[in-house]
Each structure stands twice: as C-alpha cells, then as structure tokens.
Amino acid sequence: MGKSNTFDKNNSKKTFILSIICITSLLKYTQALGFVKRCSDKFVLNKKTFYFTGANNYYLHYLNTSITAEEVFSTCEKHGLNVMRTWAFMDKEYSYNDHGVNGLQRIDEVISIAEKHGIRLILTLTNNWVDFGGLEQWVRDFGYDTHDAFFTVPEIKKSFKKYIKTLINRTNTITGKKYINDGTIFAWELGNELRAWGNGFQNQKPYDTTILTKWLDEMSTYIKYLDPNHMVSTGEEGFGLPKVESDNDIYFLDDGNDFRKNAALKNIDFATIHLYPNYWNFKDLVEDGIQYIVSHAEVAKKQLNKPIIMEEFELFVKNRDKEFPALLESMMENDNNGIMVWMLADHTYPDFDSFTLYDEDLTKYFDKFTSLQNKKSGKKVICKKCKVLF
C-alpha cells in the first residue's frame, strides 16, 4: 500500500511536470505577435517605435521547410533580427497554390516556425522575374505574351485577386489562426521588384509608368478592403527618381517605375528600396550608394511622411569589410526604419551568387548595426496625435 501510494505520487508528479513542459512548449509555439502599425514615418508596436534589422530568404516554403526554416529563424532569433521577407507564391506550378501539404500548408509551416521564434514576415505575393514562374506564368496561363498584360488584363487581375483573397482568409492548419488575424505577418507585399518589363518576354523601353502605378493602387486598395489589420508595400527597388542628379539609368523612368508616385499611394504604407552597388554601374560603390540611400529617404520620410525599408541589400564578399559598414551607417543616419540583407541561408544552401550570408557572417558584419537599430525601438508614440495611424 505504501509503495503504491509512493508510486502514484511520483507518477502524478512526473505527469504534472510533463504537462507543464508541454503547455510551455505549446504557448511558445503559438505565441501571439502583435500587429505592427504605421504612424507617420514610424512603425509602431504597442504604442512604441519599432525599428528592425532583418533578412530575406526565398526558399523557406519549398526546400525542406521543417529543417531549413527552423535553422534560418533560429539564426534570426540568435542575432536579434526580427523581420524576414519571404515568398508566398509558387507560380511556376499551380498545384503548389492548393490547400494540401504540397501547397499552402507549406506557408502555414513557415508562419508557424517564424512565430515560434518571434520573427515577423513580409509575405511577397508574386515575382517580376521568371523564377518560380512569376507574374509572367499568370500571363502565359491566360494565353497572352506581354509582361504588362499581368497589370492590365481584367481576367488576370481577377485571378490574382482570388489568390490574394485565398491567403488573407486562410486558416493556418498548424496554429489555427486566420492569416488576417495573425500579427506574425508584418505586411503583404504586392510583388518582388515589379517593373513594366521582365525577363521572359521581349521588351522595348521606355515604358509607361502609369501602368504599374494604377495596378499597385488597385491591388493595395483591394487588400486593405479585405484586410485592414496588415500593412501593404510595393516591393520595388526604388527605380524612377528623375530629379536626382545622376546619369545612372536606375533613376530614369524607362523601366516603368515612378518611385515617388508609387510610394505616395494611399494604401501603400511604407516605401521599399533595394541596393546592389556591384550590379548597378556605380562609379564609386560607397559614394553612389549613399546618394541612393539619401535621395530615397528624403522622398519617403520628409516628403511623403512614410517609413522606408532597405528591403534587399548586399555586396560581393570582397566588398564587405569596407563598403558594407559605410553603407549601413548611411542607412542608420537616414533613419531607415528597417534594414534587410539579401540573403540569409541555412548551412545546407550553397553561396551561388556571392551574396549569401550565414550565421557567422551576421556576427562579423551585421550584429553591431542590429544593436544600434534595436536601440531606436521602444520610444513612446502618442498615437492619438498621429493622423495617419491605420
């Protein structure tokens, strides 16, 4: 009898401890992240400023998600990165856009792992480029052969809206949350590096900038109608800023982009820019890079009163010791609300383009700036005085 009571007590104690462990694990796995909002040219979380560093990773939803996403998000958490930009599409194979384990459940898993590590996501809805099919796959599926058909043909736009609506109203099969109610999603992004031309059809510059601007206006308005909880961005590189004194064609309007007009749209919450000095014919990587950073921050923050995110940024490995910190310092000085590198990978992923960063690279090149950026967060914002808080 005594032994039995002892056994029962020990067994009950073990059961209680296991229950606590399970509950603790579950709570961590389903922790609720609050919605980040926009107030004037600041991001706000719980009525306090929210600045961040982050990274990009395009393959989380298709390449061994449970393993690769776990390592990538663990690395983000370790280094204090708190926003990840990733793809929420697989246009090349429409079977990936269904609701099964090889479809949208993959995005469910990415979101759930991100939430577990306290990482928010910018979810990009399509690609200007042919990788993963991109918007030109939609064009082909409907029997057209020009890039801009994606932005102008009613039946294509209707189909794309259907996909947007599917995502917004989706219930995550792992967390049980509707995407519309999940603060893990930082923002919906209309596309990656959208332009009036791509790399799958024949192109001929210059392009009409109103085509893309009208489409961005229509789609951002549609998302806000369906989902008032989340922010919306364009995902642009920042091309088309003709008043800048430069002979570099990234400032011209020929690509069909007008940075100022697109960022100024009512339902676009913040501006995005990308920066690849090694590829953009810069005469001086630092000097021309700083000009790009300053000119776009001037438009976004001072003229439009909106936040700006350096959404993709990288240099070749040989330039990281000198040019990398100089450009990051300029981003800090010009009050970039978010600074995101391209790209952070797990260690099974090779460095194909000399732009890939790993855990140890963050320690060497990025941690200092993450610390400085995080120190800007947490300052009280009086939201009642903010006329543009959504």
Side-chain angles (χ1 to χ4, degrees):
M1 190 74 173
K3 289 183 179 180
S4 177
N5 285 337
T6 302
F7 174 80
D8 289 341
K9 288 178 181 178
N10 290 337
N11 194 43
S12 298
K13 187 176 181 181
K14 289 178 181 178
T15 302
F16 176 76
I17 292 172
L18 286 172
S19 298
I20 293 297
I21 292 171
C22 289
I23 291 170
T24 302
S25 299
L26 182 62
L27 287 172
K28 183 179 181 182
Y29 198 77
T30 59
Q31 63 177 310
L33 297 179
F35 291 101
V36 177
K37 305 286 187 177
R38 171 208 160 204
C39 180
S40 297
D41 70 336
K42 298 289 190 289
F43 292 129
V44 178
L45 176 63
N46 299 325
K47 298 184 180 181
K48 295 180 180 180
T49 54
F50 181 80
Y51 284 81
F52 67 87
T53 54
N56 289 262
N57 185 297
Y58 70 86
Y59 63 74
L60 295 178
H61 68 325
Y62 88 101
L63 189 61
N64 243 342
T65 299
S66 60
I67 298 173
T68 57
E70 180 62 41
E71 180 178 334
V72 169
F73 288 129
S74 292
T75 301
C76 287
E77 185 177 19
K78 172 184 174 182
H79 291 274
L81 277 60
N82 38 30
V83 178
M84 172 66 70
R85 177 172 174 260
T86 193
W87 296 172
F89 62 88
M90 185 68 83
D91 299 326
K92 191 170 184 178
E93 297 181 47
Y94 273 76
S95 61
Y96 275 81
N97 288 339
D98 67 16
H99 294 262
V101 294
N102 289 322
L104 296 182
Q105 285 186 28
R106 292 175 178 231
I107 301 177
D108 292 347
E109 188 173 11
V110 171
I111 293 173
S112 68
I113 297 173
E115 182 183 48
K116 181 177 71 170
H117 291 282
I119 311 299
R120 291 175 171 82
L121 300 171
I122 296 175
L123 293 179
T124 305
L125 299 172
T126 191
N127 197 3
N128 191 72
W129 314 114
V130 297
D131 306 89
F132 299 96
L135 64 86
E136 290 183 1
Q137 186 62 46
W138 293 79
V139 173
R140 291 189 181 90
D141 286 349
F142 283 90
Y144 294 87
D145 60 2
T146 61
H147 186 86
D148 61 7
F150 181 79
F151 305 118
T152 59
V153 176
E155 59 182 331
I156 299 178
K157 292 193 290 182
K158 182 179 179 180
S159 182
F160 188 64
K161 285 180 178 178
K162 183 178 179 180
Y163 181 59
I164 291 172
K165 186 175 182 180
T166 297
L167 283 178
I168 288 174
N169 291 326
R170 180 172 175 77
T171 298
N172 192 308
T173 56
I174 299 173
T175 67
K177 298 178 185 177
K178 280 186 171 293
Y179 283 21
I180 190 175
N181 297 324
D182 194 344
T184 310
I185 299 171
F186 180 87
W188 298 110
E189 183 164 274
L190 293 172
N192 173 54
E193 300 183 338
L194 296 175
R195 303 185 194 177
W197 63 274
N199 56 350
F201 295 125
Q202 188 173 358
N203 304 297
Q204 187 175 356
K205 295 183 181 182
Y207 295 94
D208 181 359
T209 61
T210 63
I211 292 174
L212 183 55
T213 301
K214 288 178 180 178
W215 183 89
L216 291 169
D217 188 29
E218 179 181 351
M219 292 300 164
S220 60
T221 301
Y222 179 71
I223 291 178
K224 287 291 189 178
Y225 169 74
L226 294 176
D227 180 2
N229 294 329
H230 289 103
M231 296 183 289
V232 180
S233 64
T234 68
E236 289 182 284
E237 296 143 292
F239 293 170
L241 203 57
K243 291 185 179 181
V244 175
E245 294 184 9
S246 173
D247 59 0
N248 193 313
D249 64 3
I250 59 175
Y251 294 104
F252 301 168
L253 299 174
D254 293 9
D255 287 312
N257 298 72
D258 187 322
F259 172 77
R260 193 187 188 285
K261 285 185 178 179
N262 294 344
L265 290 170
K266 178 182 177 181
N267 291 306
I268 294 299
D269 294 291
F270 56 89
T272 64
I273 58 173
H274 299 178
L275 180 58
Y276 289 96
N278 296 106
Y279 282 162
W280 289 358
N281 299 317
F282 283 1
K283 297 172 184 176
D284 184 289
L285 297 182
V286 173
E287 184 177 331
D288 291 354
I290 289 175
Q291 181 185 40
Y292 195 77
I293 294 164
V294 171
S295 59
H296 286 82
E298 171 73 25
V299 170
K301 299 189 73 73
K302 295 183 180 179
Q303 297 179 24
L304 301 179
N305 197 27
K306 291 187 177 185
I308 186 169
I309 296 177
M310 176 58 74
E311 195 179 56
E312 287 187 27
F313 163 64
E314 217 355 329
L315 291 157
F316 289 152
V317 174
K318 65 181 181 180
N319 300 118
R320 283 182 185 164
D321 288 329
K322 180 181 177 182
E323 288 85 356
F324 198 81
L327 293 173
L328 284 168
E329 286 170 6
S330 178
M331 294 172 208
M332 299 285 296
E333 290 169 1
N334 286 278
D335 200 33
N336 281 201
N337 305 77
I339 301 171
M340 309 181 76
V341 290
W342 181 278
M343 69 165 209
L344 178 64
D346 71 285
H347 283 90
T348 66
Y349 183 92
D351 183 10
F352 291 111
D353 56 8
S354 221
F355 285 148
T356 309
L357 291 163
Y358 302 95
D359 182 355
E360 57 273 19
D361 297 312
L362 294 179
T363 302
K364 185 175 182 180
Y365 299 109
F366 208 43
D367 281 359
K368 170 187 173 182
F369 298 96
T370 295
S371 177
L372 293 172
Q373 190 79 328
N374 287 341
K375 287 178 180 178
K376 293 183 176 182
S377 293
K379 296 180 180 179
K380 190 174 182 180
V381 176
I382 302 175
C383 295
K384 288 182 180 180
K385 294 184 179 180
C386 180
K387 296 179 181 180
V388 293
L389 182 71
F390 74 93

